[in-house]
Amino acid sequence: MSAPRDPVFRRRLISALLLGPLAVVLLYVGDIAFTAWVAAFAAAMAWEWIHMSDKDAPPVAYAIACATASGTVLLAGQSGVLDALAWGAAGTLASGIERWRRGWSSEVLGVLYVALSAGLLATMRAEPDHGLKAVVLLFAIVWAADSLAYIVGTWIGGPKLLPKTSPKKTWSGFLAGVVAGGAAGWAAGLLFGLDPVRIIPFALAVALASVGGDLAMSVFKRSFGVKDSGTLIPGHGGVLDRVDALMLAVIVAVLVIRVWPLGWEAS
């Protein structure tokens, strides 16, 4: 019996081949080019979250969410973390007040999640000494974990991870993603001259967060009653469908680095 195949695999591959090189070029260029790219994605992510969580949301809800997410990224990459935090907090508060008038929902959580993850990515790249290396390391872990989790889970299958909330996710995909992400992080760390003793725990934590972020977004979408967050990226759905693994991974990466420095200074 042949293994199951994803009918949109070819479209996924084409989208990845088109978006991947663009991401690499903008990441290498850095500065305002990379920050603006992340800000644009953040605005799209915020719009998708509002649309998923409340299809009847008024235009002001979309405006606040998009402005909060994109503004946080621009300030994080070009001004500073404190300015970005202030903008993100103000936007989240405004979103909460606007939503409170209509009844509470997960919209506010989504605005905060999008702004925080995208803003931290811009902040990471803006580091003057090792920003490029840090984001390359992060991307290597996330792309390896996300790709192997998808391929193994789809083509090999096996016992379901959360059959009621995410029926396509399997234990084989979950474990493959964590192992692949850890291995990719270890390899990238060696390339950058980092101590394996420090890079391996970091890589495994980020890989786990990557797979967990993908799973969390699946749970959110099921709770909202939608299959995809949008239709912007062929084969992947929306922007949130493409970066769900990266969102939680970048937050965990920044937190882990704060308590477990990787030793960039010595590399």
Side-chain angles (χ1 to χ4, degrees):
M1 181 180 294
S2 61
R5 297 294 186 267
D6 190 329
V8 298
F9 178 75
R10 180 172 297 178
R11 279 184 292 166
R12 283 176 176 261
L13 181 60
I14 293 173
S15 296
L17 291 176
L18 291 175
L19 291 175
L22 177 60
V24 171
V25 170
L26 292 175
L27 172 60
Y28 178 77
V29 172
D31 201 32
I32 189 61
F34 181 74
T35 301
W37 178 65
V38 177
F41 265 66
M45 291 155 60
W47 190 95
E48 288 179 353
W49 187 284
I50 298 297
H51 185 68
M52 283 195 308
S53 61
D54 185 2
K55 290 182 173 58
D56 297 323
V60 65
Y62 289 92
I64 292 174
C66 293
T68 299
S70 59
T72 299
V73 174
L74 291 172
L75 287 170
Q78 300 299 308
S79 179
V81 176
L82 293 179
D83 291 338
L85 289 175
W87 181 272
T92 302
L93 179 61
S95 180
I97 293 173
E98 187 279 328
R99 184 61 197 178
W100 172 75
R101 297 169 57 188
R102 299 180 289 121
W104 179 262
S105 80
S106 60
E107 284 180 23
V108 178
L109 172 63
V111 172
L112 178 61
Y113 187 34
V114 169
L116 180 62
S117 59
L120 288 176
L121 180 61
T123 299
M124 182 181 290
R125 178 61 183 90
E127 286 287 341
D129 298 324
H130 55 265
L132 176 59
K133 292 180 180 179
V135 179
V136 169
L137 174 62
L138 173 69
F139 279 10
I141 297 171
V142 172
W143 283 347
D146 193 34
S147 299
L148 265 293
Y150 166 74
I151 292 173
V152 172
T154 301
W155 291 28
I156 295 180
K160 304 298 181 181
L161 187 60
L162 291 176
K164 292 184 178 180
T165 56
S166 187
K168 292 186 177 181
K169 298 291 189 298
T170 64
W171 277 104
S172 63
F174 176 83
L175 295 175
V178 173
V179 173
W186 170 77
L190 289 182
L191 179 65
F192 294 140
L194 297 175
D195 184 354
V197 173
R198 293 206 164 270
I199 192 60
I200 291 176
F202 169 81
L204 289 175
V206 173
L208 183 61
S210 174
V211 179
D214 182 25
L215 181 62
M217 190 58 68
S218 296
V219 173
F220 281 128
K221 288 188 293 186
R222 181 163 291 272
S223 69
F224 297 146
V226 299
K227 181 179 182 296
D228 296 318
S229 65
T231 58
L232 186 61
I233 305 176
H236 291 281
V239 177
L240 284 172
D241 295 315
R242 176 64 283 185
V243 301
D244 49 10
L246 179 62
M247 293 174 72
L248 184 58
V250 67
I251 295 174
V252 170
V254 171
L255 291 175
V256 172
I257 289 174
R258 293 297 179 185
V259 298
W260 187 259
L262 297 182
W264 291 107
E265 298 77 7
S267 63

